[in-house]
Amino acid sequence: MRGLNGKRIVVAGGASGIGAATAERLAAEGAAVVVGDVNIDAAEATAKRLTDTGATALAVEFDLADERSVQALVDTAVSQLGGVDGLYNVAADLSMDTLGRDGDLLATDLAVWRRTLEVNLIGYALTSRAVLPLLLEQGSGAIVNTSSASAHAGDHIRAAYQSKAGINALTRHIASRWGKQGIRCNCVSPGLVVTESAQKTAQNAETMAMAKHAMPSTRFGKPEDLAGIVAFLLSDDGEWINGQVWSVNGGGLLRE
């Protein structure tokens, strides 16, 4: 893939799942990768897998809901790698205490709403705010965010999680505001991807079977499916793509 070799990419949420697969793909393309995550043990394990292949990678513990922690993540990337060329936001609170208690509007506790917005949306604003001055100073850079198919389709549950639609709006804001200054910002919108987190919060077998039957693909998504798209959007091959939300869902949601 053109233009990733030597790039310095921060993966905010790179310890496992889509984030880890993307970190591995970026490293395979020659990028230096910062694996940021609240789960430092898993982040270190991911970074070690990359360095064992000869890639440049480091793990940094950070909390997406803490502005100082987010800034420290970016500062570490600058001090250790000399700068930042790209950011991939993929972290989210998918815990049973948050996503597991996310029901319809009447049933969902406001604490779940606040935590979901704080991490899944405001956290992306914090990471973007931290890297944008660096990208603007060098006159180039790319940000890729992770939204969700639930941002486009109605759902009778997980009312708070559907605030992922705000990430789509944030993406368009960054692209339209700073595109003329060399900044690209795009978004991937996954369908049902079978990650460790998804397996823990999965619906019952009957619901999963119905979801698979309804989609035109032969299978659910894998983290690697998203990793290739994210790497492309961060690369020079994607330099004329800006402000777009890419649905990556096996055809599970057919839309323009």
Side-chain angles (χ1 to χ4, degrees):
M1 200 169 290
R2 185 172 61 90
L4 276 176
N5 189 41
K7 291 287 179 70
R8 300 153 299 185
I9 310 293
V10 175
V11 180
S16 60
I18 295 170
T22 301
E24 291 173 5
R25 177 60 184 267
L26 292 169
E29 297 286 350
V33 181
V34 177
V35 181
D37 208 281
V38 70
N39 185 343
I40 187 58
D41 292 337
E44 289 176 342
T46 297
K48 185 177 186 303
R49 288 199 304 274
L50 304 187
T51 56
D52 284 348
T53 68
T56 299
L58 62 143
V60 179
E61 182 177 8
F62 93 109
D63 182 352
L64 195 62
D66 184 326
E67 185 173 8
R68 286 180 295 180
S69 180
V70 169
Q71 188 60 56
L73 168 69
V74 175
D75 289 345
T76 300
V78 173
S79 65
Q80 296 295 313
L81 302 179
V84 174
D85 300 296
L87 165 69
Y88 176 42
N89 281 316
V90 62
D93 188 341
L94 303 178
S95 67
M96 289 303 297
D97 193 49
T98 300
L99 187 63
R101 296 195 299 129
D102 190 358
D104 65 31
L105 179 59
L106 296 177
T108 302
D109 192 292
L110 286 179
V112 173
W113 273 94
R114 293 189 180 100
R115 175 63 181 175
T116 300
L117 290 169
E118 186 177 40
V119 176
N120 295 8
L121 179 55
I122 297 173
Y124 283 29
L126 293 178
T127 54
S128 298
R129 280 166 59 103
V131 303
L132 272 167
L134 302 172
L135 305 183
L136 288 167
E137 183 177 359
Q138 64 194 29
S140 65
I143 298 171
V144 178
N145 295 318
T146 306
S147 177
S148 170
S150 68
H152 310 289
D155 193 342
H156 68 286
I157 59 171
R158 296 182 179 177
Y161 187 75
Q162 291 177 75
S163 62
K164 280 273 192 178
I167 294 172
N168 299 347
L170 175 66
T171 295
R172 291 188 286 265
H173 166 69
I174 294 171
S176 60
R177 175 64 180 85
W178 291 288
K180 288 285 190 183
Q181 294 164 265
I183 307 304
R184 293 185 293 111
C185 186
N186 293 289
C187 186
V188 291
S189 179
L192 183 51
V193 178
V194 183
T195 64
E196 301 96 318
S197 297
Q199 289 173 338
K200 290 178 182 178
T201 58
Q203 311 255 346
N204 60 49
E206 181 180 358
T207 301
M208 297 287 281
M210 289 174 60
K212 187 174 182 179
H213 177 73
M215 66 187 301
S217 180
T218 59
R219 61 173 174 81
F220 293 129
K222 299 181 292 186
E224 293 78 13
D225 295 323
L226 274 297
I229 301 298
V230 174
F232 169 73
L233 291 172
L234 289 169
S235 78
D236 289 351
D237 284 333
E239 65 183 356
W240 212 52
I241 303 170
N242 206 1
Q244 304 302 308
V245 178
W246 283 36
S247 293
V248 187
N249 54 35
L253 179 62
L254 300 175
R255 58 185 293 273
E256 293 183 354

